[in-house]
Amino acid sequence: MKNKTIGVISIKGGVGKTTVVSNLGAALANNFGKKVLVIDANFTAPNLGLHLGVVKPDLTIHDVLYDNVPAEEAIIKTDYGFDLIAGSLNPKKKHQSRVNPYKLHNRISSLKKSYDIILIDSSPNLNDEMLSTMIASDELLVVSSPDFPTLSCTLHAVNTAKQRKTPISGIVLNKVRNKRYELKASDVEYAANVPVVSKICDDVRVLQALANTTPAVLQKPKKDFAFEYYKLAAKVLDKEFDDPRIRTKLKNLKKLFGKR
Ligand SMILES: Nc1ncnc2c1ncn2[C@@H]1O[C@H](COP(=O)(O)OP(=O)(O)OP(=O)(O)O)[C@@H](O)[C@H]1O
Ligand SMILES: [Mg+2]
């Protein structure tokens, strides 16, 4: 498989971009043995570090973009088997000016040879921040949730990516409750003309894991949401996912009906 950089975007705040980046990063690194770097490109409100227990990084993406610090120097080893370039929670005044959207791509391109997968956590604002992620990425995952307001933002994000000709590998439908009032994956696919590659349930354990600054897939590796992340990781790597839950189910069925 070729090394690739995947941007995780949405035009709506709070749908789960940062959660997807930290959990997909953890699944790729720990379940598939990949070398993974996650980068916080939400320059205005970065919080990927907080999801991973990194509160006060020495060097950040802001230093890389504004002070020409080599990106290699801003890499932090997390406790979770993958690397991080965090954002500054308290950026200096000069780190708050407009960023040239090509700069992220230029400043991180040297890292690509050292990682199997780089995941970029985007800002939800359709401005130069999100453009930075689009330009720096080989492909995009669009995070959505199954309601009309988020879908309308998702369609906007999809159209913007299509205009820029950045390939979209799929939509991650997050916070799914499987209620009748929710949009179905097929509705979202029909409206966006993009496949839903993952359906992650709404689960309070994701919030509990965040309170422990640990990716939820590592804290609760056997829950359904974790298996969805393993499936998504396999998809990203163009691999088949052999779901152990289905194997167990088949084994039980065989036991029940006496077949071998
Ligand atoms: N599947 C899930 N089940 C329950 N809670 C979730 C799930 N996914 C994310 N969350 C919670 O939703 C909140 C927002 O998630 P997150 O910060 O990842 O969103 P975001 O899209 O990155 O937001 P922003 O646009 O502000 O950067 C967090 O509290 C997170 O724990
Ligand atoms: Mg975020």
Side-chain angles (χ1 to χ4, degrees):
M1 193 207 71
K2 224 174 123 244
N3 301 17
K4 58 184 172 184
T5 303
I6 303 171
V8 178
I9 66 162
S10 78
I11 299 187
K12 196 157 198 300
V15 288
K17 297 175 290 301
T18 307
T19 308
V20 168
V21 167
S22 80
N23 283 284
L24 179 58
L28 285 164
N30 295 283
N31 300 75
F32 292 85
K34 295 296 166 190
K35 190 138 195 270
V36 178
L37 171 69
V38 298
I39 300 178
D40 199 335
N42 186 349
F43 310 130
T44 317
N47 51 32
L48 181 56
L50 293 182
H51 282 238
L52 300 168
V54 175
V55 182
K56 264 194 155 188
D58 287 338
L59 289 169
T60 65
I61 195 70
H62 293 85
D63 299 301
V64 173
L65 293 177
Y66 293 93
D67 293 333
N68 284 333
V69 166
E72 288 77 1
E73 290 181 19
I75 294 173
I76 298 163
K77 289 221 162 308
T78 69
D79 294 338
Y80 307 117
F82 58 95
D83 294 349
L84 160 75
I85 298 183
S88 168
L89 290 175
N90 192 10
K92 299 175 198 149
K93 188 112 184 129
K94 68 168 176 169
H95 289 176
Q96 294 176 37
S97 57
R98 180 184 168 263
V99 65
N100 176 334
Y102 287 89
K103 203 148 184 197
L104 180 67
H105 174 260
N106 296 341
R107 303 293 293 134
I108 65 168
S109 59
S110 62
L111 302 178
K112 208 164 169 180
K113 59 181 183 309
S114 310
Y115 290 93
D116 298 311
I117 301 281
I118 298 178
L119 298 174
I120 306 181
D121 182 16
S122 168
S123 156
N125 302 316
L126 185 53
N127 56 17
D128 286 340
E129 292 196 32
M130 190 188 288
L131 272 187
S132 299
T133 295
M134 287 192 178
I135 292 167
S137 302
D138 300 312
E139 56 189 73
L140 299 168
L141 283 171
V142 184
V143 184
S144 191
S145 50
D147 57 88
F148 278 115
T150 308
L151 176 61
S152 94
C153 294
T154 302
L155 299 185
H156 195 174
V158 165
N159 288 336
T160 309
K162 282 184 178 167
Q163 275 160 18
R164 292 212 52 84
K165 300 196 172 16
T166 313
I168 304 169
S169 39
I171 292 174
V172 175
L173 207 52
N174 190 31
K175 304 194 188 184
V176 174
R177 292 183 175 171
N178 289 314
K179 298 284 183 199
R180 278 176 48 202
Y181 55 77
E182 284 182 340
L183 292 170
K184 292 197 209 58
S186 55
D187 301 330
V188 175
E189 286 181 336
Y190 177 77
N193 200 17
V194 172
V196 169
V197 288
S198 182
K199 254 176 75 178
I200 301 168
C201 57
D202 187 283
D203 193 316
V204 72
R205 281 163 286 222
V206 175
L207 289 155
Q208 285 164 351
L210 174 59
N212 293 332
T213 64
T214 305
V217 295
L218 297 181
Q219 194 163 287
K220 294 286 176 193
K222 297 256 164 72
K223 294 292 168 195
D224 279 349
F225 65 77
F227 283 102
E228 264 312 307
Y229 276 111
Y230 310 148
K231 246 167 56 186
L232 178 59
K235 185 111 200 156
V236 160
L237 300 171
D238 294 321
K239 286 189 169 175
E240 286 292 317
F241 178 61
D242 184 15
D243 192 331
R245 291 171 304 176
I246 294 174
R247 249 185 288 137
T248 314
K249 219 172 180 177
L250 282 176
K251 223 159 122 193
N252 290 342
L253 274 174
K254 278 180 189 164
K255 255 193 228 157
L256 208 63
F257 295 104
K259 286 189 185 160
R260 292 179 189 274

